[in-house]
Amino acid sequence: MKAIILREHGSPEKFEEVDLPVRPPKSDEVMVQIKAGSINPLDCKMREGRIEAPLPIVLGFDCAGLVVAVGHDVRRLREGDEVWVYLGGPCSNGAYAEFTTVPHHFVSLKPDNLSLLEAAAIPVVGLTAFMAVKYKARPTIEDSVFVAGGSGGLGSMAIQLLQTFGISQLITTAGTEQSVVYLIERFHLPADQIIRYEGRSRKDLAAQAIEKNGGRLFTKLLDFVGGDMKRLCFDLVAFDGEIVSVLKRLILLRCRFGTVA
């Protein structure tokens, strides 16, 4: 099969197209013919050497395609199924290739309402947002939620999840007017639930967010940006509130009695 391999860290010019053997599936695995894949920030960081990875490597953490072979213990999938795949666990190779072999637990049937191209963009960002919202923040309908980076990939997923969970008191940020329009048109967020941060101080942003939240601090905050946006979340967190961040190993901070534990 054709694959794009990385032998040394650096720019995209370091990628090489090579021929690699296709590994048949083990008893609990499936082989997928990759029809579409996506590029995540994680791929770029690994390529640049900012995240350690054994070289040579075939990058790509999610894809969509067709099941072409199944191990004899696999009952939930069969040849010809259209699937989407998370390649963050054990696998023969990443998504920058024509085929991959992976345990069936990391594979599921593609929703009928998504194309293969659309489905390939979801596994990593979808799982990350779901874990952040459902298992880390755990918001209820009584919570007020602040989302830093609502128009990005993770933010877009998180907002849809929050809406599904019935969260109505939701404030998010957007950098450009185009991002504001995106949030309004795609997720039907009222304009008064969106804060433009471009060219504004953290103090001003905090004041506007609190004003939009009825003069109160937030009980649940999701940071998908890092840096100043993470610091803004600390400005906005209520007594005994929670901040969930996906940046720089910061997963869950619980603020209680004026301290961070």
Side-chain angles (χ1 to χ4, degrees):
M1 69 173 177
K2 296 293 184 182
I4 304 299
I5 199 168
L6 183 70
R7 300 188 190 275
E8 58 180 304
H9 299 301
S11 66
E13 285 71 29
K14 298 295 184 180
F15 284 125
E16 301 176 42
E17 183 179 300
V18 298
D19 287 306
L20 294 178
V22 178
R23 180 167 69 77
K26 298 176 183 178
S27 62
D28 65 340
E29 293 181 327
V30 297
M31 183 193 300
V32 176
Q33 181 181 15
I34 298 171
K35 296 295 186 179
S38 65
I39 298 175
N40 291 286
L42 183 60
D43 294 291
C44 299
K45 292 175 181 178
M46 292 178 70
R47 171 178 56 77
E48 295 167 353
R50 290 188 283 158
I51 295 178
E52 289 188 17
L55 297 178
I57 189 172
V58 177
L59 294 174
F61 287 86
D62 43 25
C63 65
L66 300 176
V67 174
V68 293
V70 299
H72 61 75
D73 290 337
V74 178
R75 299 290 182 266
R76 47 185 292 270
L77 297 165
R78 60 186 179 182
E79 292 182 23
D81 283 343
E82 290 191 336
V83 294
W84 50 3
V85 187
Y86 172 60
L87 296 173
C91 57
S92 63
N93 51 265
Y96 298 6
E98 293 182 296
F99 296 90
T100 189
T101 303
V102 60
H104 73 92
H105 311 87
F106 296 87
V107 183
S108 62
L109 293 174
K110 177 188 71 65
D112 291 336
N113 63 333
L114 294 180
S115 68
L116 288 166
L117 190 63
E118 291 169 331
I122 292 178
V124 170
V125 68
L127 287 169
T128 304
F130 185 78
M131 292 294 291
V133 174
K134 175 71 173 179
Y135 293 110
K136 293 297 183 179
R138 306 181 304 277
T140 68
I141 57 175
E142 287 81 22
D143 282 308
S144 55
V145 181
F146 179 81
V147 179
S151 61
L154 283 170
S156 295
M157 286 289 182
I159 286 174
Q160 293 176 83
L161 289 168
L162 291 166
Q163 291 174 329
T164 300
F165 297 155
I167 307 300
S168 59
Q169 189 54 37
L170 167 66
I171 305 296
T172 190
T173 62
T176 65
E177 187 59 34
Q178 183 180 10
S179 295
V180 173
V181 172
Y182 167 76
L183 290 168
I184 293 173
E185 292 184 350
R186 297 301 296 268
F187 309 129
H188 308 291
L189 283 182
D192 63 359
Q193 290 183 232
I194 305 169
I195 297 174
R196 283 282 304 274
Y197 64 81
E198 202 169 50
R200 301 181 60 190
S201 70
R202 205 174 91 204
K203 182 178 180 181
D204 288 344
L205 292 173
Q208 185 176 4
I210 292 169
E211 180 184 357
K212 287 180 178 292
N213 196 38
R216 301 182 301 275
L217 294 171
F218 293 83
T219 55
K220 306 284 184 177
L221 301 94
L222 295 162
D223 167 43
F224 300 123
V225 182
D228 282 342
M229 280 296 171
K230 184 183 292 183
R231 297 182 184 94
L232 177 61
C233 288
F234 279 96
D235 296 336
L236 295 174
V237 65
F239 176 85
D240 205 20
E242 294 180 338
I243 301 172
V244 177
S245 178
V246 300
L247 278 300
K248 293 185 178 179
R249 300 183 182 178
L250 179 60
I251 303 300
L252 175 62
L253 297 174
R254 180 182 295 273
C255 299
R256 177 172 289 166
F257 304 119
T259 64
V260 178

mmCIF file of all heavy atoms in Angstrom, residues 21 43 54 56 63 72 97 170 179 192 218 220 231 244 254-255 257:
data_model
loop_
_atom_site.group_PDB
_atom_site.id
_atom_site.type_symbol
_atom_site.label_atom_id
_atom_site.label_comp_id
_atom_site.label_asym_id
_atom_site.label_seq_id
_atom_site.Cartn_x
_atom_site.Cartn_y
_atom_site.Cartn_z
ATOM 1 N N PRO A 21 3.900 -2.829 3.616
ATOM 2 C CA PRO A 21 3.043 -4.023 3.592
ATOM 3 C C PRO A 21 1.735 -3.766 4.342
ATOM 4 O O PRO A 21 1.683 -2.965 5.278
ATOM 5 C CB PRO A 21 3.889 -5.080 4.308
ATOM 6 C CG PRO A 21 4.818 -4.294 5.187
ATOM 7 C CD PRO A 21 5.121 -3.033 4.433
ATOM 8 N N ASP A 43 -1.046 16.024 15.078
ATOM 9 C CA ASP A 43 -0.195 15.587 13.972
ATOM 10 C C ASP A 43 0.916 16.598 13.710
ATOM 11 O O ASP A 43 2.078 16.220 13.507
ATOM 12 C CB ASP A 43 -1.033 15.413 12.700
ATOM 13 C CG ASP A 43 -2.046 14.297 12.809
ATOM 14 O OD1 ASP A 43 -1.635 13.129 12.846
ATOM 15 O OD2 ASP A 43 -3.247 14.585 12.845
ATOM 16 N N PRO A 54 7.902 7.758 18.130
ATOM 17 C CA PRO A 54 8.942 6.919 17.544
ATOM 18 C C PRO A 54 8.989 7.092 16.031
ATOM 19 O O PRO A 54 7.951 7.069 15.357
ATOM 20 C CB PRO A 54 8.522 5.506 17.937
ATOM 21 C CG PRO A 54 7.031 5.600 18.123
ATOM 22 C CD PRO A 54 6.772 6.967 18.660
ATOM 23 N N PRO A 56 10.657 5.819 12.234
ATOM 24 C CA PRO A 56 9.697 6.484 11.345
ATOM 25 C C PRO A 56 8.255 6.213 11.771
ATOM 26 O O PRO A 56 7.986 5.234 12.470
ATOM 27 C CB PRO A 56 10.000 5.855 9.989
ATOM 28 C CG PRO A 56 10.523 4.485 10.329
ATOM 29 C CD PRO A 56 11.310 4.659 11.592
ATOM 30 N N CYS A 63 -9.864 8.568 10.702
ATOM 31 C CA CYS A 63 -10.139 8.340 9.291
ATOM 32 C C CYS A 63 -11.524 7.727 9.143
ATOM 33 O O CYS A 63 -12.185 7.382 10.126
ATOM 34 C CB CYS A 63 -9.081 7.427 8.665
ATOM 35 S SG CYS A 63 -9.050 5.740 9.327
ATOM 36 N N HIS A 72 -11.473 -13.273 13.158
ATOM 37 C CA HIS A 72 -12.526 -14.293 13.342
ATOM 38 C C HIS A 72 -13.319 -14.110 14.632
ATOM 39 O O HIS A 72 -14.383 -14.709 14.799
ATOM 40 C CB HIS A 72 -11.926 -15.699 13.277
ATOM 41 C CG HIS A 72 -10.900 -15.995 14.325
ATOM 42 N ND1 HIS A 72 -11.201 -16.234 15.642
ATOM 43 C CD2 HIS A 72 -9.544 -16.082 14.238
ATOM 44 C CE1 HIS A 72 -10.102 -16.475 16.329
ATOM 45 N NE2 HIS A 72 -9.078 -16.375 15.498
ATOM 46 N N ALA A 97 -2.339 6.800 4.862
ATOM 47 C CA ALA A 97 -2.054 5.556 4.154
ATOM 48 C C ALA A 97 -3.335 5.055 3.498
ATOM 49 O O ALA A 97 -4.423 5.602 3.707
ATOM 50 C CB ALA A 97 -1.506 4.504 5.118
ATOM 51 N N LEU A 170 -25.204 29.762 28.420
ATOM 52 C CA LEU A 170 -23.945 29.464 27.749
ATOM 53 C C LEU A 170 -23.393 30.725 27.105
ATOM 54 O O LEU A 170 -24.089 31.405 26.347
ATOM 55 C CB LEU A 170 -24.178 28.382 26.682
ATOM 56 C CG LEU A 170 -23.078 28.137 25.657
ATOM 57 C CD1 LEU A 170 -21.833 27.583 26.331
ATOM 58 C CD2 LEU A 170 -23.573 27.189 24.566
ATOM 59 N N SER A 179 -16.579 34.241 12.509
ATOM 60 C CA SER A 179 -16.803 33.229 13.538
ATOM 61 C C SER A 179 -18.121 33.469 14.256
ATOM 62 O O SER A 179 -18.836 32.520 14.610
ATOM 63 C CB SER A 179 -15.654 33.232 14.542
ATOM 64 O OG SER A 179 -14.440 32.835 13.935
ATOM 65 N N ASP A 192 -26.106 37.783 21.823
ATOM 66 C CA ASP A 192 -25.707 38.232 23.158
ATOM 67 C C ASP A 192 -25.075 37.126 23.996
ATOM 68 O O ASP A 192 -24.718 37.339 25.151
ATOM 69 C CB ASP A 192 -26.883 38.864 23.900
ATOM 70 C CG ASP A 192 -28.020 37.881 24.150
ATOM 71 O OD1 ASP A 192 -27.902 36.714 23.734
ATOM 72 O OD2 ASP A 192 -29.022 38.290 24.768
ATOM 73 N N PHE A 218 -19.031 32.088 36.555
ATOM 74 C CA PHE A 218 -19.483 30.845 35.924
ATOM 75 C C PHE A 218 -19.146 29.631 36.781
ATOM 76 O O PHE A 218 -18.105 29.578 37.422
ATOM 77 C CB PHE A 218 -18.838 30.694 34.547
ATOM 78 C CG PHE A 218 -19.278 31.714 33.541
ATOM 79 C CD1 PHE A 218 -18.690 32.969 33.513
ATOM 80 C CD2 PHE A 218 -20.276 31.428 32.624
ATOM 81 C CE1 PHE A 218 -19.085 33.919 32.581
ATOM 82 C CE2 PHE A 218 -20.681 32.373 31.695
ATOM 83 C CZ PHE A 218 -20.088 33.629 31.679
ATOM 84 N N LYS A 220 -19.111 26.387 35.410
ATOM 85 C CA LYS A 220 -18.377 25.444 34.570
ATOM 86 C C LYS A 220 -17.720 26.218 33.428
ATOM 87 O O LYS A 220 -18.381 27.001 32.742
ATOM 88 C CB LYS A 220 -19.299 24.376 33.977
ATOM 89 C CG LYS A 220 -20.125 23.614 34.999
ATOM 90 C CD LYS A 220 -19.310 22.580 35.757
ATOM 91 C CE LYS A 220 -20.218 21.776 36.698
ATOM 92 N NZ LYS A 220 -19.473 20.711 37.397
ATOM 93 N N ARG A 231 -6.278 31.850 31.230
ATOM 94 C CA ARG A 231 -6.217 32.818 32.338
ATOM 95 C C ARG A 231 -7.560 33.523 32.504
ATOM 96 O O ARG A 231 -7.993 33.808 33.630
ATOM 97 C CB ARG A 231 -5.106 33.828 32.065
ATOM 98 C CG ARG A 231 -3.717 33.199 31.997
ATOM 99 C CD ARG A 231 -2.621 34.236 31.775
ATOM 100 N NE ARG A 231 -1.330 33.605 31.627
ATOM 101 C CZ ARG A 231 -0.779 33.274 30.464
ATOM 102 N NH1 ARG A 231 -1.437 33.522 29.325
ATOM 103 N NH2 ARG A 231 0.401 32.689 30.415
ATOM 104 N N VAL A 244 -12.236 23.127 32.973
ATOM 105 C CA VAL A 244 -11.709 21.985 32.230
ATOM 106 C C VAL A 244 -10.946 22.526 31.026
ATOM 107 O O VAL A 244 -11.483 23.313 30.247
ATOM 108 C CB VAL A 244 -12.841 21.062 31.752
ATOM 109 C CG1 VAL A 244 -12.282 19.925 30.907
ATOM 110 C CG2 VAL A 244 -13.600 20.497 32.939
ATOM 111 N N ARG A 254 -10.331 22.278 40.192
ATOM 112 C CA ARG A 254 -11.472 22.606 41.036
ATOM 113 C C ARG A 254 -11.057 23.744 41.959
ATOM 114 O O ARG A 254 -10.083 23.639 42.704
ATOM 115 C CB ARG A 254 -11.898 21.390 41.877
ATOM 116 C CG ARG A 254 -13.104 21.686 42.776
ATOM 117 C CD ARG A 254 -13.445 20.471 43.621
ATOM 118 N NE ARG A 254 -13.874 19.359 42.801
ATOM 119 C CZ ARG A 254 -15.122 19.171 42.407
ATOM 120 N NH1 ARG A 254 -16.055 20.027 42.762
ATOM 121 N NH2 ARG A 254 -15.444 18.133 41.664
ATOM 122 N N CYS A 255 -11.765 24.852 41.865
ATOM 123 C CA CYS A 255 -11.436 26.029 42.657
ATOM 124 C C CYS A 255 -12.336 26.064 43.894
ATOM 125 O O CYS A 255 -13.556 26.096 43.775
ATOM 126 C CB CYS A 255 -11.617 27.291 41.831
ATOM 127 S SG CYS A 255 -10.550 27.322 40.385
ATOM 128 N N PHE A 257 -12.497 27.546 48.102
ATOM 129 C CA PHE A 257 -11.946 28.299 49.217
ATOM 130 C C PHE A 257 -10.746 29.159 48.794
ATOM 131 O O PHE A 257 -9.792 29.333 49.518
ATOM 132 C CB PHE A 257 -11.514 27.383 50.388
ATOM 133 C CG PHE A 257 -12.612 26.511 50.883
ATOM 134 C CD1 PHE A 257 -12.515 25.131 50.829
ATOM 135 C CD2 PHE A 257 -13.786 27.057 51.383
ATOM 136 C CE1 PHE A 257 -13.548 24.336 51.268
ATOM 137 C CE2 PHE A 257 -14.826 26.261 51.833
ATOM 138 C CZ PHE A 257 -14.702 24.897 51.795
#
